Amino acid sequence: MSKNKGLETDPEVLSRIASLNIHATKLVEGLLSGHHRSRHTGSSVEFADYKDYTPGDEIKHIDWKMVAKTDKHQIKQFEQSTNLKATILLDTSGSMGYLSPNPKTMNKMDYARTLVASLSYLFLKQYDAVGLSLFNESLINYVPPRSKPSHFKHILHELAALSPSGVTKIEDVIQSIVERLHGRGIVIIVSDFLTKESSIEKKLKLLVSRGLEVIIFHILDSDEVSFPFNGDIIFESLEDDPPIELDPVDIRETYQRAIQDQITHYRSHCAKLGIDYIFLETSTPLEQGLTYYLLQRKNLGKH
Amino acid sequence: MNAMNFNFISPLFLFGVIGIMIPVLIHLMTRRQKKHQHFSAIHLLLQSKNRSIRQSRPNRKFLLLIRCLGIALLSLAMANPILSMGGSNNLGTNGPSATVFILDDSYSMGTQTNQKSYYNQAVKTLLDINNSLPTKSIYSVVLGSSPSRVLLNWTTVSEKAKNILRSSQPTSRTTEIGVAIKKSLLLLEEVPQKNKIIYILTDRDKNGWNEEEFSSIVATKSHKFFIVDFSEMRDGINKAAVEHAEVQQEFLSNNRVIKVKVKTANLSQSKSISKLKVSLWVNDKEQTKETLDIPVNSSIDKEFSFPMQTHNLINGEVRIEDDALLKDNFRFFSYQPDRTIKTLIVDGDPNIVEHQSETFYLERALNPFTSSLSDIQLTISTLSELPKRNLLDYSVVIICNAHNLPFGYEQELEKFVLRGGALFITLGNQVNAKFYNERLGNILPVFLKSLHQTQKEHEPFRFLIKPSKHPVLKIFKEQTLEEMKSIEFQSFYSVEPREKSKFTTPIVFTNEFPALIESNIGRGKVILFLSSIDRDWNNFPIQPTFVPWIQRWIKYSANGLDSLIQKNLLVGDPFNWENPPKGNRAFIVTPEGEFMLAPYVEGKISFKDTFTPGIYQLYKSSRTSSSEQNTSVPSRLPFGAQSVGAFTVNINPIESSSIKISNKEIRSLLPKTNLTFSSSNQKFNVTETTERTPLFTYFMMLLGAMLLLEGWLVRNE
């Protein structure tokens, strides 16, 4: 792969990988530090039941201890969770590359990268398979889900090497990816959802209907929420919109209302579809966001 | 179609419009730099922009526009804009106007009101109107007194022109609006401006609006007439005027008492005057005074008399007490008492019996009283005494019924006549016609042909009596002429003209034969009476008309008659002197003391510059001069110049009249014209409200509104 070449050569990518690695692992370890005690009670190694061995079952699954005790061939049954496949869809369109003129926090792309890296690490740490799909108007890169710990490096590399460009077309991407997702799994969509598409909900519904668990991370820069600009500004699009000249003061309130409407819209629709919707502003510390998410899931008893 | 004309009184303030730069510069300097910003949610911005009502940027531009407008309005207001509405019907453009001011400078405009004369007010009004003329306008000023004349010919509003106007004064002339309007229309034809205006600044004295003049005026609707009346502002009233003052000298008493006839008028239409003081002044001394009661709108004749103390020229004036118009409160008169004429009478037929002597009647007629009161001083001589007499001592030599003259004496007489002496020859039974015809050829223009005689029972010869313009005869009017018809002549000589001789026959007999022959020889005069001067051939000497007749002939022949005819002229009348002293230069000293050479036109003096009332003195130089010297004007009166008389110039009393012309009458005089009437008090209502609207206030109000709006916008910003 051409990108793999950059893995060795591009020092910037390398440093970003290192940074992501440290950041993500630190983050996840920090998060999980409070959960050590219950480490084996959760997750995919959870014991479910015994069943009599029947030909065709894998021999490795026979509980030899039980054979020794009772001379019965019993097979341990575990939760399916060990087969969890998580696919992370990361929006790499132009809009994700927004850089604030007055950066106070991480920029949006870095925020998303770190989030994805953290999630990947989290999944891998739980021995779940995790894959990564990068998209803008189409799927531009696909890392199939693997549960090997070494897979993390692949993901990190992809994250580090990506550069935002193109137009967001989530609907098309969901349509195309839905074929690749076999069986039950988790689809995590990380995007700013700044798109002119109007029927994303339908595509989300499609995912849900396939038995996939969908989690949405809606990431926006603080600037995109509060619109803090002043003075005569010509706004140039990061995607394909024409430039627009205006006084931010004039439209600030209207804009804020519009963006809030959008958030509310997604939140309400996601709730209807049973989708976990997490809105994250870049000003929100990532730990806080993740913690919130994990707590939420725990409360719901999902993992 | 109304034309609108937009002008500025102080156009320099228009440069203030440049001040618009200030807010524009401030706007540009404080304008926020346009930043380029990459942004993600452009479609949301677009959506929001379309939804948002608030538009602060155009607002700021609007604010800038208002500030610019504010400054522009301020400078426009300071430039004092004038909106001229209306205009005459064919005013196609809003261009500058051509205005003719007819400034009535007749003496009635000198009427005082509030220590200012109508004329001063009129000039002030003129300058005020001038100030409000559109820029690049030109104007002329025509003086409305008679004869009207152009004071300023097409000029723009300049200080020099203003000074000329300010320093001008009302004249002593009468009004002549009609001619002034004609002159104005001619002036207006010269200029290309389409906006033609005539202002008439007058006191509307009716005498100045002569119907005949107006009948030939062709004014059109394109000319706008503004008639500004100054007579309505009168505080004081021109109560009375001296209309006439003349020395009324009676024959024979002319050397003792001077009688002056004075006509004083009450000009008021409603009030009678009681105890009006009238005084008579001679050489700046009051001689006599009276008080008069004059009824409403009438005049009173009053004769003043005072003793004559010297035989010098009398320069006098009649004064009445002051009223609002001073110029008609006095009137000048002058009187030149006759000078003594030295006369030599040669008696060709003396007799011991006094009354049978040839010169008996002549002597009595020329010097009626034994005491020497007459101005003719007589010397009687016989023919034999004649060579002893020095002819240079006499002005007039009368030869009565002489048979012939001492040997060679005809040459003496010729010299005497050529030098300016007067020779009066009468005939009689002693006359030797042959001697006269042969020896007096250089003196007499005629031959004595034959003696005509009638018998006692036959009808005598008589004068052919007809009114004559001859200086001697013109004073004889109807009654006297009737009396002269009764004079009977039994004998006279008929005459035959000599070759190339020039003579006139002022008097003829009924049979058309000459009775008196007058001829000019050299600078002198020869008069030949073809009958006798005593009662031998006629009964003329015992007729009452004989005395004035012979006196006037003597005075006339001695060039003394002009002093008898008082010249009472009105302002502007030319002074004509039919028989000025020949060979001598004549000078005129005006009432202002100005000295000038009398202008000769074809041997007569015609002096036209009589526009200042007062007494004009006439002088002649003592020495005769050649024609070359006549061309140079001496700087002062030559030494030894003799006073030969005076004439008076007085104002025309018609101008004092208080009768004013009405609007209706003016409309009928100027039909089909665009007339506007106003009084001096309301003149600006006419010129500014209906015609010219100053926009200063409106612009300032608009500016105030702009400032309020600006403040409101800034507050909302």
PDB file of all heavy atoms in Angstrom, chain A residues 98 224 227 232-236 238 244-245 247 250 259, chain B residues 34-40 44-46 52 56-57 60:
ATOM      1  N   TYR A  98     -11.315  21.937   9.546  1.00  0.00           N
ATOM      2  CA  TYR A  98     -11.448  23.324   9.997  1.00  0.00           C
ATOM      3  C   TYR A  98     -10.445  23.638  11.099  1.00  0.00           C
ATOM      4  O   TYR A  98     -10.297  22.895  12.065  1.00  0.00           O
ATOM      5  CB  TYR A  98     -12.871  23.584  10.504  1.00  0.00           C
ATOM      6  CG  TYR A  98     -12.989  24.931  11.179  1.00  0.00           C
ATOM      7  CD1 TYR A  98     -12.946  26.095  10.418  1.00  0.00           C
ATOM      8  CD2 TYR A  98     -13.095  25.025  12.556  1.00  0.00           C
ATOM      9  CE1 TYR A  98     -13.008  27.316  11.029  1.00  0.00           C
ATOM     10  CE2 TYR A  98     -13.170  26.254  13.167  1.00  0.00           C
ATOM     11  CZ  TYR A  98     -13.123  27.410  12.401  1.00  0.00           C
ATOM     12  OH  TYR A  98     -13.168  28.631  12.998  1.00  0.00           O
ATOM     13  N   GLU A 224     -17.651  26.576  15.436  1.00  0.00           N
ATOM     14  CA  GLU A 224     -18.801  26.210  14.608  1.00  0.00           C
ATOM     15  C   GLU A 224     -20.095  26.249  15.401  1.00  0.00           C
ATOM     16  O   GLU A 224     -21.172  26.283  14.824  1.00  0.00           O
ATOM     17  CB  GLU A 224     -18.591  24.813  14.020  1.00  0.00           C
ATOM     18  CG  GLU A 224     -17.533  24.819  12.944  1.00  0.00           C
ATOM     19  CD  GLU A 224     -17.079  23.411  12.564  1.00  0.00           C
ATOM     20  OE1 GLU A 224     -17.094  22.513  13.408  1.00  0.00           O
ATOM     21  OE2 GLU A 224     -16.700  23.230  11.402  1.00  0.00           O
ATOM     22  N   PHE A 227     -19.812  30.561  16.734  1.00  0.00           N
ATOM     23  CA  PHE A 227     -19.591  31.532  15.666  1.00  0.00           C
ATOM     24  C   PHE A 227     -19.058  32.857  16.206  1.00  0.00           C
ATOM     25  O   PHE A 227     -19.722  33.896  16.143  1.00  0.00           O
ATOM     26  CB  PHE A 227     -20.906  31.754  14.900  1.00  0.00           C
ATOM     27  CG  PHE A 227     -20.691  32.270  13.523  1.00  0.00           C
ATOM     28  CD1 PHE A 227     -19.933  31.557  12.599  1.00  0.00           C
ATOM     29  CD2 PHE A 227     -21.245  33.479  13.112  1.00  0.00           C
ATOM     30  CE1 PHE A 227     -19.749  32.024  11.317  1.00  0.00           C
ATOM     31  CE2 PHE A 227     -21.053  33.956  11.831  1.00  0.00           C
ATOM     32  CZ  PHE A 227     -20.302  33.226  10.928  1.00  0.00           C
ATOM     33  N   ASP A 232     -15.639  42.361   8.963  1.00  0.00           N
ATOM     34  CA  ASP A 232     -16.031  41.936   7.618  1.00  0.00           C
ATOM     35  C   ASP A 232     -15.184  40.739   7.218  1.00  0.00           C
ATOM     36  O   ASP A 232     -13.970  40.835   7.127  1.00  0.00           O
ATOM     37  CB  ASP A 232     -15.820  43.073   6.624  1.00  0.00           C
ATOM     38  CG  ASP A 232     -16.890  44.127   6.782  1.00  0.00           C
ATOM     39  OD1 ASP A 232     -18.003  43.765   7.207  1.00  0.00           O
ATOM     40  OD2 ASP A 232     -16.618  45.297   6.493  1.00  0.00           O
ATOM     41  N   ILE A 233     -15.832  39.670   6.995  1.00  0.00           N
ATOM     42  CA  ILE A 233     -15.096  38.434   6.714  1.00  0.00           C
ATOM     43  C   ILE A 233     -15.657  37.787   5.465  1.00  0.00           C
ATOM     44  O   ILE A 233     -16.877  37.749   5.258  1.00  0.00           O
ATOM     45  CB  ILE A 233     -15.196  37.451   7.903  1.00  0.00           C
ATOM     46  CG1 ILE A 233     -14.566  38.111   9.140  1.00  0.00           C
ATOM     47  CG2 ILE A 233     -14.501  36.136   7.584  1.00  0.00           C
ATOM     48  CD1 ILE A 233     -14.682  37.295  10.383  1.00  0.00           C
ATOM     49  N   ILE A 234     -14.752  37.356   4.622  1.00  0.00           N
ATOM     50  CA  ILE A 234     -15.182  36.530   3.496  1.00  0.00           C
ATOM     51  C   ILE A 234     -14.953  35.073   3.917  1.00  0.00           C
ATOM     52  O   ILE A 234     -13.816  34.651   4.135  1.00  0.00           O
ATOM     53  CB  ILE A 234     -14.379  36.866   2.237  1.00  0.00           C
ATOM     54  CG1 ILE A 234     -14.607  38.341   1.866  1.00  0.00           C
ATOM     55  CG2 ILE A 234     -14.774  35.958   1.090  1.00  0.00           C
ATOM     56  CD1 ILE A 234     -13.705  38.820   0.763  1.00  0.00           C
ATOM     57  N   PHE A 235     -16.037  34.366   4.067  1.00  0.00           N
ATOM     58  CA  PHE A 235     -15.925  32.962   4.480  1.00  0.00           C
ATOM     59  C   PHE A 235     -15.754  32.095   3.249  1.00  0.00           C
ATOM     60  O   PHE A 235     -16.553  32.163   2.320  1.00  0.00           O
ATOM     61  CB  PHE A 235     -17.170  32.551   5.263  1.00  0.00           C
ATOM     62  CG  PHE A 235     -17.244  33.192   6.614  1.00  0.00           C
ATOM     63  CD1 PHE A 235     -18.017  34.320   6.841  1.00  0.00           C
ATOM     64  CD2 PHE A 235     -16.504  32.672   7.670  1.00  0.00           C
ATOM     65  CE1 PHE A 235     -18.066  34.922   8.072  1.00  0.00           C
ATOM     66  CE2 PHE A 235     -16.561  33.269   8.916  1.00  0.00           C
ATOM     67  CZ  PHE A 235     -17.331  34.400   9.116  1.00  0.00           C
ATOM     68  N   GLU A 236     -14.682  31.355   3.264  1.00  0.00           N
ATOM     69  CA  GLU A 236     -14.441  30.470   2.131  1.00  0.00           C
ATOM     70  C   GLU A 236     -14.693  29.044   2.576  1.00  0.00           C
ATOM     71  O   GLU A 236     -14.316  28.631   3.670  1.00  0.00           O
ATOM     72  CB  GLU A 236     -13.000  30.629   1.653  1.00  0.00           C
ATOM     73  CG  GLU A 236     -12.819  31.949   0.924  1.00  0.00           C
ATOM     74  CD  GLU A 236     -11.384  32.220   0.580  1.00  0.00           C
ATOM     75  OE1 GLU A 236     -10.524  31.406   0.961  1.00  0.00           O
ATOM     76  OE2 GLU A 236     -11.133  33.259  -0.049  1.00  0.00           O
ATOM     77  N   LEU A 238     -14.569  25.048   2.970  1.00  0.00           N
ATOM     78  CA  LEU A 238     -13.566  23.981   2.979  1.00  0.00           C
ATOM     79  C   LEU A 238     -13.998  22.868   2.033  1.00  0.00           C
ATOM     80  O   LEU A 238     -13.244  21.958   1.753  1.00  0.00           O
ATOM     81  CB  LEU A 238     -13.400  23.443   4.395  1.00  0.00           C
ATOM     82  CG  LEU A 238     -12.750  24.442   5.370  1.00  0.00           C
ATOM     83  CD1 LEU A 238     -12.990  24.029   6.806  1.00  0.00           C
ATOM     84  CD2 LEU A 238     -11.265  24.540   5.088  1.00  0.00           C
ATOM     85  N   ILE A 244     -18.601  33.424   0.848  1.00  0.00           N
ATOM     86  CA  ILE A 244     -19.691  34.343   1.229  1.00  0.00           C
ATOM     87  C   ILE A 244     -19.122  35.443   2.117  1.00  0.00           C
ATOM     88  O   ILE A 244     -18.323  35.166   3.020  1.00  0.00           O
ATOM     89  CB  ILE A 244     -20.833  33.560   1.915  1.00  0.00           C
ATOM     90  CG1 ILE A 244     -21.905  34.528   2.419  1.00  0.00           C
ATOM     91  CG2 ILE A 244     -20.300  32.723   3.077  1.00  0.00           C
ATOM     92  CD1 ILE A 244     -23.137  33.803   2.905  1.00  0.00           C
ATOM     93  N   GLU A 245     -19.538  36.674   1.783  1.00  0.00           N
ATOM     94  CA  GLU A 245     -19.026  37.816   2.538  1.00  0.00           C
ATOM     95  C   GLU A 245     -20.139  38.323   3.432  1.00  0.00           C
ATOM     96  O   GLU A 245     -21.246  38.610   2.974  1.00  0.00           O
ATOM     97  CB  GLU A 245     -18.601  38.927   1.567  1.00  0.00           C
ATOM     98  CG  GLU A 245     -17.998  40.116   2.280  1.00  0.00           C
ATOM     99  CD  GLU A 245     -17.712  41.263   1.330  1.00  0.00           C
ATOM    100  OE1 GLU A 245     -17.795  41.039   0.107  1.00  0.00           O
ATOM    101  OE2 GLU A 245     -17.418  42.353   1.811  1.00  0.00           O
ATOM    102  N   ASP A 247     -21.118  40.163   7.623  1.00  0.00           N
ATOM    103  CA  ASP A 247     -20.723  40.582   8.958  1.00  0.00           C
ATOM    104  C   ASP A 247     -21.269  39.551   9.927  1.00  0.00           C
ATOM    105  O   ASP A 247     -22.486  39.400  10.057  1.00  0.00           O
ATOM    106  CB  ASP A 247     -21.321  41.963   9.247  1.00  0.00           C
ATOM    107  CG  ASP A 247     -20.764  42.533  10.534  1.00  0.00           C
ATOM    108  OD1 ASP A 247     -20.315  41.741  11.386  1.00  0.00           O
ATOM    109  OD2 ASP A 247     -20.782  43.768  10.682  1.00  0.00           O
ATOM    110  N   ASP A 250     -24.272  40.069  12.174  1.00  0.00           N
ATOM    111  CA  ASP A 250     -25.626  40.088  11.643  1.00  0.00           C
ATOM    112  C   ASP A 250     -26.316  38.736  11.788  1.00  0.00           C
ATOM    113  O   ASP A 250     -27.527  38.673  12.015  1.00  0.00           O
ATOM    114  CB  ASP A 250     -25.607  40.457  10.153  1.00  0.00           C
ATOM    115  CG  ASP A 250     -25.079  41.856   9.943  1.00  0.00           C
ATOM    116  OD1 ASP A 250     -25.057  42.613  10.930  1.00  0.00           O
ATOM    117  OD2 ASP A 250     -24.703  42.174   8.804  1.00  0.00           O
ATOM    118  N   ILE A 259     -27.500  25.831  14.086  1.00  0.00           N
ATOM    119  CA  ILE A 259     -26.621  24.709  14.457  1.00  0.00           C
ATOM    120  C   ILE A 259     -27.215  23.919  15.624  1.00  0.00           C
ATOM    121  O   ILE A 259     -27.157  22.696  15.655  1.00  0.00           O
ATOM    122  CB  ILE A 259     -25.184  25.218  14.728  1.00  0.00           C
ATOM    123  CG1 ILE A 259     -24.165  24.091  14.496  1.00  0.00           C
ATOM    124  CG2 ILE A 259     -24.993  25.758  16.128  1.00  0.00           C
ATOM    125  CD1 ILE A 259     -23.620  24.060  13.120  1.00  0.00           C
TER     126      ILE A 259
ATOM    127  N   LYS B  34     -11.134  43.379   5.381  1.00  0.00           N
ATOM    128  CA  LYS B  34     -11.877  42.176   5.020  1.00  0.00           C
ATOM    129  C   LYS B  34     -10.956  40.982   5.197  1.00  0.00           C
ATOM    130  O   LYS B  34      -9.893  40.913   4.590  1.00  0.00           O
ATOM    131  CB  LYS B  34     -12.353  42.289   3.576  1.00  0.00           C
ATOM    132  CG  LYS B  34     -13.685  42.969   3.483  1.00  0.00           C
ATOM    133  CD  LYS B  34     -14.249  42.902   2.097  1.00  0.00           C
ATOM    134  CE  LYS B  34     -15.503  43.767   2.046  1.00  0.00           C
ATOM    135  NZ  LYS B  34     -15.877  44.111   0.692  1.00  0.00           N
ATOM    136  N   LYS B  35     -11.367  40.098   6.091  1.00  0.00           N
ATOM    137  CA  LYS B  35     -10.529  38.917   6.332  1.00  0.00           C
ATOM    138  C   LYS B  35     -11.074  37.749   5.529  1.00  0.00           C
ATOM    139  O   LYS B  35     -12.267  37.658   5.279  1.00  0.00           O
ATOM    140  CB  LYS B  35     -10.575  38.575   7.829  1.00  0.00           C
ATOM    141  CG  LYS B  35      -9.732  39.536   8.663  1.00  0.00           C
ATOM    142  CD  LYS B  35      -9.695  39.136  10.095  1.00  0.00           C
ATOM    143  CE  LYS B  35     -11.024  39.446  10.790  1.00  0.00           C
ATOM    144  NZ  LYS B  35     -10.994  39.263  12.231  1.00  0.00           N
ATOM    145  N   HIS B  36     -10.178  36.923   5.158  1.00  0.00           N
ATOM    146  CA  HIS B  36     -10.609  35.676   4.516  1.00  0.00           C
ATOM    147  C   HIS B  36     -10.556  34.584   5.576  1.00  0.00           C
ATOM    148  O   HIS B  36      -9.577  34.443   6.290  1.00  0.00           O
ATOM    149  CB  HIS B  36      -9.691  35.338   3.346  1.00  0.00           C
ATOM    150  CG  HIS B  36      -9.959  36.230   2.170  1.00  0.00           C
ATOM    151  ND1 HIS B  36     -10.703  35.824   1.087  1.00  0.00           N
ATOM    152  CD2 HIS B  36      -9.605  37.510   1.925  1.00  0.00           C
ATOM    153  CE1 HIS B  36     -10.779  36.808   0.221  1.00  0.00           C
ATOM    154  NE2 HIS B  36     -10.120  37.857   0.708  1.00  0.00           N
ATOM    155  N   GLN B  37     -11.585  33.864   5.690  1.00  0.00           N
ATOM    156  CA  GLN B  37     -11.646  32.836   6.723  1.00  0.00           C
ATOM    157  C   GLN B  37     -12.223  31.563   6.104  1.00  0.00           C
ATOM    158  O   GLN B  37     -13.298  31.579   5.513  1.00  0.00           O
ATOM    159  CB  GLN B  37     -12.537  33.336   7.874  1.00  0.00           C
ATOM    160  CG  GLN B  37     -12.840  32.305   8.931  1.00  0.00           C
ATOM    161  CD  GLN B  37     -11.592  31.956   9.735  1.00  0.00           C
ATOM    162  OE1 GLN B  37     -10.859  32.839  10.170  1.00  0.00           O
ATOM    163  NE2 GLN B  37     -11.326  30.654   9.879  1.00  0.00           N
ATOM    164  N   HIS B  38     -11.459  30.495   6.264  1.00  0.00           N
ATOM    165  CA  HIS B  38     -12.014  29.204   5.822  1.00  0.00           C
ATOM    166  C   HIS B  38     -13.014  28.761   6.865  1.00  0.00           C
ATOM    167  O   HIS B  38     -12.786  28.855   8.062  1.00  0.00           O
ATOM    168  CB  HIS B  38     -10.892  28.167   5.697  1.00  0.00           C
ATOM    169  CG  HIS B  38     -10.069  28.418   4.477  1.00  0.00           C
ATOM    170  ND1 HIS B  38     -10.509  28.092   3.216  1.00  0.00           N
ATOM    171  CD2 HIS B  38      -8.854  28.974   4.314  1.00  0.00           C
ATOM    172  CE1 HIS B  38      -9.600  28.428   2.326  1.00  0.00           C
ATOM    173  NE2 HIS B  38      -8.568  28.981   2.973  1.00  0.00           N
ATOM    174  N   PHE B  39     -14.099  28.271   6.393  1.00  0.00           N
ATOM    175  CA  PHE B  39     -15.122  27.860   7.344  1.00  0.00           C
ATOM    176  C   PHE B  39     -15.837  26.632   6.796  1.00  0.00           C
ATOM    177  O   PHE B  39     -15.913  26.406   5.580  1.00  0.00           O
ATOM    178  CB  PHE B  39     -16.108  29.000   7.598  1.00  0.00           C
ATOM    179  CG  PHE B  39     -16.959  28.807   8.807  1.00  0.00           C
ATOM    180  CD1 PHE B  39     -16.375  28.801  10.081  1.00  0.00           C
ATOM    181  CD2 PHE B  39     -18.330  28.596   8.710  1.00  0.00           C
ATOM    182  CE1 PHE B  39     -17.148  28.603  11.202  1.00  0.00           C
ATOM    183  CE2 PHE B  39     -19.102  28.401   9.838  1.00  0.00           C
ATOM    184  CZ  PHE B  39     -18.506  28.407  11.085  1.00  0.00           C
ATOM    185  N   SER B  40     -16.355  25.874   7.723  1.00  0.00           N
ATOM    186  CA  SER B  40     -16.919  24.585   7.337  1.00  0.00           C
ATOM    187  C   SER B  40     -18.397  24.675   6.966  1.00  0.00           C
ATOM    188  O   SER B  40     -18.818  24.134   5.963  1.00  0.00           O
ATOM    189  CB  SER B  40     -16.728  23.604   8.487  1.00  0.00           C
ATOM    190  OG  SER B  40     -17.053  24.247   9.695  1.00  0.00           O
ATOM    191  N   LEU B  44     -24.794  26.690   6.046  1.00  0.00           N
ATOM    192  CA  LEU B  44     -25.589  27.205   7.172  1.00  0.00           C
ATOM    193  C   LEU B  44     -25.507  28.727   7.241  1.00  0.00           C
ATOM    194  O   LEU B  44     -26.478  29.399   7.556  1.00  0.00           O
ATOM    195  CB  LEU B  44     -25.080  26.609   8.495  1.00  0.00           C
ATOM    196  CG  LEU B  44     -25.585  25.220   8.827  1.00  0.00           C
ATOM    197  CD1 LEU B  44     -25.002  24.769  10.155  1.00  0.00           C
ATOM    198  CD2 LEU B  44     -27.111  25.192   8.892  1.00  0.00           C
ATOM    199  N   LEU B  45     -24.320  29.228   6.943  1.00  0.00           N
ATOM    200  CA  LEU B  45     -24.159  30.686   6.951  1.00  0.00           C
ATOM    201  C   LEU B  45     -25.075  31.317   5.913  1.00  0.00           C
ATOM    202  O   LEU B  45     -25.759  32.316   6.172  1.00  0.00           O
ATOM    203  CB  LEU B  45     -22.710  31.083   6.644  1.00  0.00           C
ATOM    204  CG  LEU B  45     -21.673  30.747   7.683  1.00  0.00           C
ATOM    205  CD1 LEU B  45     -20.308  31.212   7.216  1.00  0.00           C
ATOM    206  CD2 LEU B  45     -22.009  31.428   9.007  1.00  0.00           C
ATOM    207  N   LEU B  46     -25.079  30.687   4.757  1.00  0.00           N
ATOM    208  CA  LEU B  46     -25.910  31.201   3.670  1.00  0.00           C
ATOM    209  C   LEU B  46     -27.382  31.197   4.063  1.00  0.00           C
ATOM    210  O   LEU B  46     -28.105  32.182   3.871  1.00  0.00           O
ATOM    211  CB  LEU B  46     -25.681  30.323   2.446  1.00  0.00           C
ATOM    212  CG  LEU B  46     -26.032  30.947   1.105  1.00  0.00           C
ATOM    213  CD1 LEU B  46     -25.145  32.156   0.849  1.00  0.00           C
ATOM    214  CD2 LEU B  46     -25.829  29.914  -0.013  1.00  0.00           C
ATOM    215  N   SER B  52     -31.741  36.164   8.083  1.00  0.00           N
ATOM    216  CA  SER B  52     -31.513  37.293   8.997  1.00  0.00           C
ATOM    217  C   SER B  52     -32.030  38.607   8.411  1.00  0.00           C
ATOM    218  O   SER B  52     -31.832  38.916   7.243  1.00  0.00           O
ATOM    219  CB  SER B  52     -30.019  37.422   9.272  1.00  0.00           C
ATOM    220  OG  SER B  52     -29.798  38.581  10.016  1.00  0.00           O
ATOM    221  N   SER B  56     -26.124  44.997   9.082  1.00  0.00           N
ATOM    222  CA  SER B  56     -25.364  46.118   9.630  1.00  0.00           C
ATOM    223  C   SER B  56     -24.476  46.769   8.590  1.00  0.00           C
ATOM    224  O   SER B  56     -24.198  47.947   8.649  1.00  0.00           O
ATOM    225  CB  SER B  56     -24.513  45.655  10.807  1.00  0.00           C
ATOM    226  OG  SER B  56     -23.503  44.813  10.338  1.00  0.00           O
ATOM    227  N   ARG B  57     -24.057  46.077   7.615  1.00  0.00           N
ATOM    228  CA  ARG B  57     -23.118  46.664   6.660  1.00  0.00           C
ATOM    229  C   ARG B  57     -23.777  47.740   5.774  1.00  0.00           C
ATOM    230  O   ARG B  57     -23.286  48.839   5.691  1.00  0.00           O
ATOM    231  CB  ARG B  57     -22.456  45.591   5.831  1.00  0.00           C
ATOM    232  CG  ARG B  57     -20.980  45.833   5.683  1.00  0.00           C
ATOM    233  CD  ARG B  57     -20.246  44.549   5.513  1.00  0.00           C
ATOM    234  NE  ARG B  57     -20.992  43.730   4.572  1.00  0.00           N
ATOM    235  CZ  ARG B  57     -20.622  43.532   3.307  1.00  0.00           C
ATOM    236  NH1 ARG B  57     -19.533  44.093   2.865  1.00  0.00           N
ATOM    237  NH2 ARG B  57     -21.317  42.784   2.516  1.00  0.00           N
ATOM    238  N   ARG B  60     -24.204  50.800   7.641  1.00  0.00           N
ATOM    239  CA  ARG B  60     -23.049  51.668   7.785  1.00  0.00           C
ATOM    240  C   ARG B  60     -22.859  52.524   6.537  1.00  0.00           C
ATOM    241  O   ARG B  60     -22.516  53.675   6.591  1.00  0.00           O
ATOM    242  CB  ARG B  60     -21.801  50.826   8.055  1.00  0.00           C
ATOM    243  CG  ARG B  60     -20.925  51.465   9.110  1.00  0.00           C
ATOM    244  CD  ARG B  60     -19.825  50.552   9.528  1.00  0.00           C
ATOM    245  NE  ARG B  60     -20.360  49.330  10.121  1.00  0.00           N
ATOM    246  CZ  ARG B  60     -19.952  48.107   9.770  1.00  0.00           C
ATOM    247  NH1 ARG B  60     -19.057  47.937   8.829  1.00  0.00           N
ATOM    248  NH2 ARG B  60     -20.461  47.051  10.352  1.00  0.00           N
TER     249      ARG B  60
END
